Amino acid sequence: MRNCRRLKSHGNLCSRIPTLEEAIASVLTRVHLEMQTICFCFDDYHLGGYYVSKNEVFQDGHIFLGDYKEMKRCFKIYVYPHWRDDPFANVLLPVDFEPGGNYASESYFKKVLFKSEFITEDPEEADLFFLPFSIARLRHDSRVGVGGIQDFIRNYILNVSRKYAYWNRTGGADHFYVACHSIGRSAMEKTSEVKFNAIQVVCSSSYFLAGYISHKDACLPQIWPRKGDPPNLLSSKRKKLAFFAGGINSPVREKLLQVWRNDTEIFVHYGRLKTSYADELLGSKFCLHVKGFEVNTARIADSLYYGCVPVIISNYYDLPFTDIVNWKSFSVIVPTLDIPLLKEILKKISSDEYLGLQSNVLKVRKHFQWHHKPIDYDAFYMVMYELWLRRSFLRIKSIVSKNY
């Protein structure tokens, strides 16, 4: 057991799960800190019980920065061990190539985690336990395929629970897995204890659908990896009001196309673009993230990378890092019913307000980038912080008596 010390800010203990009394004290301390910094201004909006300035990038910046340092100091993850000669090493170990494509976030996270300072070989030291199976890799494994993923996960959890004591002692509440493909949601249908107890870090984070539980689970940002630094935005001339390109694979996108396909200020494209996607993003003030098959796409990260203010048209989307960042400070959220009002909504945003949104886009885009060697506050560390927030949430396995 590593040394534990009392945190100066919250009275929390880093080296073990806090007792109920400690947890209550920690919450009360946080409330006291927040009450000291609340600003009741007319330009502020109410969020989750606190008043947060529209211009503030972080929900609770002082708490985040303090906790972030403590997370890096003492957060520990135990990964169930597997070796290269394992028949499913391709599924359970990090990929040996550079991740790419729509679902790269899943592979990037695991690849970076395995080499990070958060890994411990001592399970007694661990705050959380990582279930290292890859949904994306299982999907393409001819021995498993889409139809066999549920059985694979069920058997994997059964083996882990028989071989190790850690799953059984909490019912999986201190375990987590990571998945970016939407199949990950249905993959747990034969293993309900994973779905309802474990922490699910998934790209398809819709709190409208059964199986995803906000605050227990967390959103993994879907990011299409790009090499090099973001482009020089000073040279970009944003003449278009708004831009969208993508397949028309949902009623929401059908409505968008129906209303705006022939507009001269909102450009909606379907099928293959004849121009550069990057140039379209660089040439637009607002870039539309519109629900397709799922609530998530890589378009938010694309928008941020190219300095375009994202417009999110995707009801019930539990947005990435929503516990940490203030989405209203750098994006515009539009209910799907308001698609016919889209131009009116965007044109009501003044030049000064737009410059404020775009300035914050440049501040937060580092949180939506992957690196082979993680950089402070990048996507890897932000996901780790989401896990850090969830490390002490206890869920007691319910026992239903048969004698009634």
Side-chain angles (χ1 to χ4, degrees), residues 129-141:
F129 295 78
F130 180 43
L131 303 167
F133 49 76
S134 166
I135 299 298
R137 301 285 282 174
L138 283 168
R139 176 171 167 255
H140 293 292
D141 192 310

Side-chain angles (χ1 to χ4, degrees), residues 266-324:
I266 296 177
F267 292 81
V268 178
H269 298 267
Y270 66 96
R272 295 187 67 86
L273 275 173
K274 295 180 180 179
T275 54
S276 164
Y277 180 58
D279 287 344
E280 293 289 354
L281 295 176
L282 286 168
S284 303
K285 293 177 66 178
F286 298 97
C287 296
L288 309 184
H289 164 93
V290 186
K291 182 186 183 301
F293 286 123
E294 299 290 343
V295 293
N296 56 291
T297 74
R299 287 175 182 80
I300 289 178
D302 291 345
S303 302
L304 297 175
Y305 185 85
Y306 288 104
C308 186
V309 175
V311 177
I312 301 162
I313 309 175
S314 185
N315 294 355
Y316 313 115
Y317 187 11
D318 190 22
L319 290 160
F321 315 137
T322 192
D323 298 312
I324 310 166

Side-chain angles (χ1 to χ4, degrees), residues 253-263 268 339-342:
R253 293 187 182 182
E254 288 175 2
K255 183 66 174 178
L256 182 77
L257 182 66
Q258 175 190 342
V259 175
W260 299 110
R261 68 181 302 170
N262 295 317
D263 194 77
V268 178
I339 286 176
L341 304 175
L342 182 58

Side-chain angles (χ1 to χ4, degrees), residues 64-74 377 385 388:
F64 168 62
L65 295 175
D67 274 2
Y68 180 88
K69 292 178 182 178
E70 195 62 25
M71 173 199 74
K72 290 190 68 177
R73 189 187 72 82
C74 67
Y377 307 108
Y385 184 77
W388 161 263

Side-chain angles (χ1 to χ4, degrees), residues 64-300:
F64 168 62
L65 295 175
D67 274 2
Y68 180 88
K69 292 178 182 178
E70 195 62 25
M71 173 199 74
K72 290 190 68 177
R73 189 187 72 82
C74 67
F75 191 30
K76 292 300 177 184
I77 305 292
Y78 180 77
V79 182
Y80 286 108
H82 300 279
W83 291 269
R84 286 291 171 191
D85 59 352
D86 190 298
F88 284 96
N90 62 311
V91 169
L92 300 167
L93 296 179
V95 297
D96 55 6
F97 53 84
E98 183 174 357
N102 258 332
Y103 311 113
S105 291
E106 177 182 315
S107 296
Y108 250 111
F109 176 82
K110 183 158 71 170
K111 196 175 181 72
V112 175
L113 175 65
F114 273 57
K115 295 180 180 179
S116 75
E117 71 273 24
F118 297 109
I119 294 296
T120 178
E121 295 183 358
D122 179 5
E124 296 299 332
E125 187 183 53
D127 297 292
L128 293 177
F129 295 78
F130 180 43
L131 303 167
F133 49 76
S134 166
I135 299 298
R137 301 285 282 174
L138 283 168
R139 176 171 167 255
H140 293 292
D141 192 310
S142 59
R143 298 167 296 177
V144 181
V146 173
I149 293 178
Q150 293 181 6
D151 290 326
F152 182 95
I153 301 300
R154 179 189 59 192
N155 293 334
Y156 184 83
I157 297 300
L158 184 61
N159 290 335
V160 162
S161 65
R162 288 175 174 175
K163 188 174 181 179
Y164 303 92
Y166 312 110
W167 176 273
N168 294 326
R169 70 184 182 183
T170 64
D174 53 1
H175 288 57
F176 73 97
Y177 76 91
V178 174
C180 198
H181 198 283
S182 58
I183 291 175
R185 186 174 60 246
S186 60
M188 308 302 148
E189 289 303 314
K190 293 184 179 179
T191 324
S192 59
E193 60 268 34
V194 176
K195 181 164 59 175
F196 295 117
N197 288 357
I199 302 166
Q200 303 177 106
V201 184
V202 294
C203 289
S204 301
S205 53
S206 171
Y207 52 83
F208 179 74
L209 300 174
Y212 180 85
I213 305 171
S214 297
H215 304 298
K216 175 184 80 70
D217 302 327
C219 177
L220 179 70
Q222 187 169 353
I223 302 169
W224 190 287
R226 291 179 170 83
K227 294 182 180 180
D229 296 326
N232 180 5
L233 300 177
L234 296 178
S235 61
S236 62
K237 297 179 180 179
R238 303 182 184 273
K239 296 181 179 180
K240 295 177 181 177
L241 178 64
F243 166 76
F244 172 81
I248 307 303
N249 55 9
S250 71
V252 181
R253 293 187 182 182
E254 288 175 2
K255 183 66 174 178
L256 182 77
L257 182 66
Q258 175 190 342
V259 175
W260 299 110
R261 68 181 302 170
N262 295 317
D263 194 77
T264 58
E265 295 180 282
I266 296 177
F267 292 81
V268 178
H269 298 267
Y270 66 96
R272 295 187 67 86
L273 275 173
K274 295 180 180 179
T275 54
S276 164
Y277 180 58
D279 287 344
E280 293 289 354
L281 295 176
L282 286 168
S284 303
K285 293 177 66 178
F286 298 97
C287 296
L288 309 184
H289 164 93
V290 186
K291 182 186 183 301
F293 286 123
E294 299 290 343
V295 293
N296 56 291
T297 74
R299 287 175 182 80
I300 289 178

